[in-house]
Amino acid sequence: MKDLLDNLLLSLSMDPILDSGNKMLAERAILQRCLDGLQIARASIWLYNAERDLMRCQQICPLDLNASELPALTRQQFPQYFAALDKKRVIKARDARTDSATHEFAEPYLIPLDIWSMLDVPLRYQGEVIGIICCEQTGQNRDWSDDDAGFVGVLSDLYGRVMAAAERQRYQQQLEQTNERLESLVNERTAHLQNTLDQLKQTQQHLIESEKMASLGSFVAGIAHEVNTPVGIGLTGISHCSYLLTALVDSVKAGMLSKTQLEQTLAELQHSTALVERNLHRAAELIIQFKQSAVDQSHYELHQFAIDDYVQAVLQTLLPFCKQHHVEVELMLNSGLLLHSYPGAIAQVLTNLVTNACIHAFDPPQLQLKRASGSKH
């Protein structure tokens, strides 16, 4: 008998199913060894909830039985049984119907199913009892030997490998999902930025070819320089994310991924993706400002607008050109006026004024444009 039990344990310990991450199949393999080694009618695995006041059946053998059909066991219903489990010891009930730890199951469970004896062995994982392996003898009472308890105890230790493999698989799936979300975000933002840059190039070409927009061509390079800064930061952030993901994948493959490492890496990934998103938004805002100015100057349409906000927006697009000529622009806008006019014409006048002043007016160049507070001219 001892040789049979040893052989069953050896074959199971070498079975790759324990480390596959397939928790259901691994549980079935463990319970089948219980049936074969102890020659019993039924064996099942039960796990605690987080509060340890309830247990649910995870798997039961033989396979014609369905674990999902078994009701949960609660501390309120079976207080003496749970009290016995709290001692974290093996329960060897020769007469389960009268044993102090298991007699509560007599009427609702043991007698209807002709169960006479029970052997419950704690399942431990990372130093904590997480549930039990329950072995049941039908037809007659059984004296559980130390070999019986030791055999099931080794099976319970092997269950720790099953839990570790399932946890590794769960971390791997979380990592893959995070990677997919990150790649999707990067692709989306990159495509949006590329589309915006393509539109900028088209607008630039249109400005160069159009006589009305010729004056704006001189500061296109400055706008591109401003856009390159957030784009460069975004590329650096993406490279860092790629490094973190590679390190995580290596840790998972090596079986060395800890919960702490996963949480720290996910936190860094969240920080980096937030940095990328902020800078992509900044690049998009710069381009939108430039596009609006270009559109206004190429299409003279009559409509109402706030002069203060509009002047500030136009001058914002000219700042890179001013920086190239070491010119400082100072605005004092507080008129609060709403105009019903042609913003494109005003943008054209401001553009010509600033660009001509930058090129011709000062040596050393120092331009200060001031508008008196509350002026209504």
Side-chain angles (χ1 to χ4, degrees), residues 10-11 17 24 40 61 154 187 192 252 270 287 304 335 355:
L10 178 62
S11 66
I17 193 63
M24 181 179 68
I40 55 177
C61 278
V154 175
N187 291 337
H192 177 70
V252 170
Q270 290 176 340
I287 294 170
Q304 183 170 288
S335 69
T355 54

Side-chain angles (χ1 to χ4, degrees), residues 180-194:
E180 290 175 0
R181 289 195 297 267
L182 179 60
E183 289 181 354
S184 177
L185 176 62
V186 170
N187 291 337
E188 178 183 345
R189 297 301 182 188
T190 301
H192 177 70
L193 180 59
Q194 185 60 51

